[in-house]
């Protein structure tokens, strides 16, 4: 009986040990929690990150942080190696120095294509804006720590700021400012959440060369390499573009950029790492892809 037990126990032990090794081999990757209930800005980067990691050759499991955090808090947490490991961080020279960026624009540059949220029925405030000088006469707002604030101010535009993202919508409704530039990725969801008071302005678009990268702690070179390798494979096999079109195709059609007045702005935040020599990584409004 003892021999039989040992013969049975050995394969069972081996199976349990192998299962333990398999479980321990899974790498946990922690990502930011959205800033508030209904915040959909992280849906697309999460799916893109899942796609990249699935092609990396390493088994990863993604977990969402328990605490909501804004952009600057994300940078601090990744830099300190605390509550998150990677975030879709809008770029700046300072952030790229503090963190390790994967230089593939997550949104193909859509972060730099801006439409405006305005109060319902106030299209007349923007209808006559056709130049940068015209734009300077509007009251605009952005987040206090957003690089976009620096970009707009570098172009001579006065910008009202607020520390909390959700507070900006209340400020717009309360007439603290008149025009809230938002990326084409975000604006439709944001308008839907504020449908009783806000609308998407139909005449104007702002454009500057800009986007977010996945950024990790500077010591986490393995994770950065796995994300980069996975994204490159997704670009090569077309799955990156498929995810992009699934999320943003309809939003881009609704934007009707070909019917809008586009004001080009310069971006002083571009760094030498910006992959501006790879046009396949950036959305081309003329070609629609």
């Amino acid at each position: 009986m003892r021999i039989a037990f040992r013969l049975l126990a050995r394969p069972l032990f081996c199976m349990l040990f192998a299962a333990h090794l398999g479980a321990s081999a899974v790498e946990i990757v922690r990502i930011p929690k959205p800033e508030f209930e209904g915040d959909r800005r992280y849906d697309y980067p999460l799916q893109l990150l899942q796609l990249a990691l699935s092609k990396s050759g390493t088994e990863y499991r993604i977990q969402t942080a328990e605490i909501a955090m804004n952009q600057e808090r994300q940078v601090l947490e990744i830099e300190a190696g605390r509550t998150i490991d990677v975030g879709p961080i809008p770029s700046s020279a300072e952030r790229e120095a503090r963190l390790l960026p994967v230089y593939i624009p997550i949104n193909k540059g859509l972060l730099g294509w801006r439409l405006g949220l305005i109060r319902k029925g106030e299209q007349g405030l923007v209808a006559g804006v056709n130049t940068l000088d015209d734009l300077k006469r509007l009251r605009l707002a952005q987040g206090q720590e957003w690089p976009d604030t620096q970009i707009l101010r570098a172009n001579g535009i006065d910008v009202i700021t607020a520390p909390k993202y959700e507070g900006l919508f209340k400020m717009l409704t309360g007439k603290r400012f008149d025009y809230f530039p938002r990326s084409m990725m975000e604006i439709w969801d944001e308008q839907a959440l504020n449908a009783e008071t806000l609308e998407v302005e139909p005449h104007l678009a702002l454009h500057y060369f800009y986007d977010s990268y996945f950024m990790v702690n500077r010591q986490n070179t393995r994770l950065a390499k796995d994300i980069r390798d996975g994204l490159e494979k997704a670009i090569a096999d077309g799955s990156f573009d498929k995810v992009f079109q699934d999320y943003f195709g309809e939003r881009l059609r609704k934007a009707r950029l070909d019917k809008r007045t586009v004001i080009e702005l310069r971006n002083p935040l571009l760094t030498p790492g910006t992959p501006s020599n790879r046009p396949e990584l950036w959305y081309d409004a003329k070609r629609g892809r």
Side-chain angles (χ1 to χ4, degrees), residues 4-287:
F5 175 77
R6 286 173 182 168
L7 288 173
L8 288 170
R10 181 174 295 176
L12 177 60
F13 172 79
C14 292
M15 289 170 62
L16 291 171
F17 184 70
H20 172 73
L21 285 178
S24 64
V26 175
E27 299 281 348
I28 303 299
V29 174
R30 300 166 299 172
I31 63 170
K33 180 181 179 180
E35 289 189 49
F36 64 93
E37 191 70 28
D39 184 357
R40 307 300 301 275
R41 292 174 297 163
Y42 294 93
D43 292 359
Y44 166 75
L46 171 58
Q47 184 162 341
L48 191 63
L49 181 63
Q50 289 173 327
L51 175 67
L53 293 178
S54 74
K55 296 177 179 291
S56 69
T58 301
E59 188 175 359
Y60 285 98
R61 184 167 74 247
I62 297 174
Q63 289 183 350
T64 302
E66 295 182 0
I67 302 171
M69 55 189 77
N70 61 21
Q71 287 181 21
E72 189 54 33
R73 176 69 182 274
Q74 291 177 38
V75 173
L76 287 169
E77 293 298 311
I78 294 171
E79 185 178 35
R82 286 193 295 246
T83 58
I84 58 174
D85 302 300
V86 59
I89 308 291
S91 67
S92 72
E94 179 199 5
R95 291 173 174 184
E96 292 178 29
R98 293 168 63 185
L99 305 179
L100 180 59
V102 176
Y103 283 115
I104 295 175
I106 297 171
N107 314 291
K108 300 188 71 170
L110 287 193
L111 198 60
W113 278 100
R114 298 270 157 165
L115 309 182
L117 279 176
I118 59 172
R119 290 180 293 277
K120 273 193 168 181
E122 296 193 0
Q123 294 182 13
L125 289 173
V126 187
V129 175
N130 296 297
T131 67
L132 177 57
D133 285 339
D134 295 336
L135 183 65
K136 291 176 183 178
R137 290 194 285 270
L138 286 180
R139 294 186 302 165
L140 278 66
Q142 294 283 273
Q144 186 171 294
E145 303 295 337
W146 297 355
D148 308 272
T149 301
Q150 299 176 53
I151 294 170
L152 292 171
R153 284 176 173 167
N155 285 269
I157 300 166
D158 288 333
V159 183
I160 296 166
T161 63
K164 292 188 177 181
Y165 163 70
E166 62 269 31
L168 287 157
F169 299 94
K170 297 175 183 177
M171 290 170 64
L172 177 56
T173 302
K175 299 189 176 184
R176 296 279 300 280
F177 64 93
D178 302 313
Y179 185 81
F180 188 11
R182 306 298 298 133
S183 82
M184 289 191 294
M185 304 174 298
E186 305 157 330
I187 195 167
W188 308 108
D189 290 333
E190 294 170 339
Q191 190 278 327
L193 288 172
N194 299 274
E196 294 183 2
T197 56
L198 304 180
E199 62 180 301
V200 178
E201 192 281 323
H203 162 68
L204 189 64
L206 311 181
H207 179 244
Y208 39 92
F209 202 69
Y210 188 55
D211 210 50
S212 297
Y213 303 119
F214 287 121
M215 297 193 190
V216 305
N217 184 280
R218 293 199 67 81
Q219 305 304 314
N220 205 345
T221 54
R222 179 187 172 195
L223 178 58
K225 182 180 186 304
D226 282 349
I227 294 172
R228 181 174 58 252
D229 291 349
L231 288 175
E232 292 287 7
K233 289 176 183 177
I235 291 166
D237 67 20
S239 54
F240 187 118
D241 273 344
K242 184 179 186 308
V243 173
F244 178 84
Q245 286 296 333
D246 286 347
Y247 268 88
F248 302 129
E250 179 58 28
R251 303 174 198 214
L252 288 165
R253 286 186 285 274
K254 285 171 65 176
R256 300 171 71 246
L257 287 175
D258 59 325
K259 305 295 184 185
R260 291 176 177 267
T261 295
V262 178
I263 297 177
E264 293 285 346
L265 303 177
R266 65 182 184 88
N267 180 2
L269 304 184
L270 292 180
T271 67
T274 306
S276 53
N277 61 336
R278 296 185 63 185
E280 75 275 14
L281 300 183
W282 303 89
Y283 177 74
D284 186 332
K286 293 180 179 178
R287 294 188 300 161

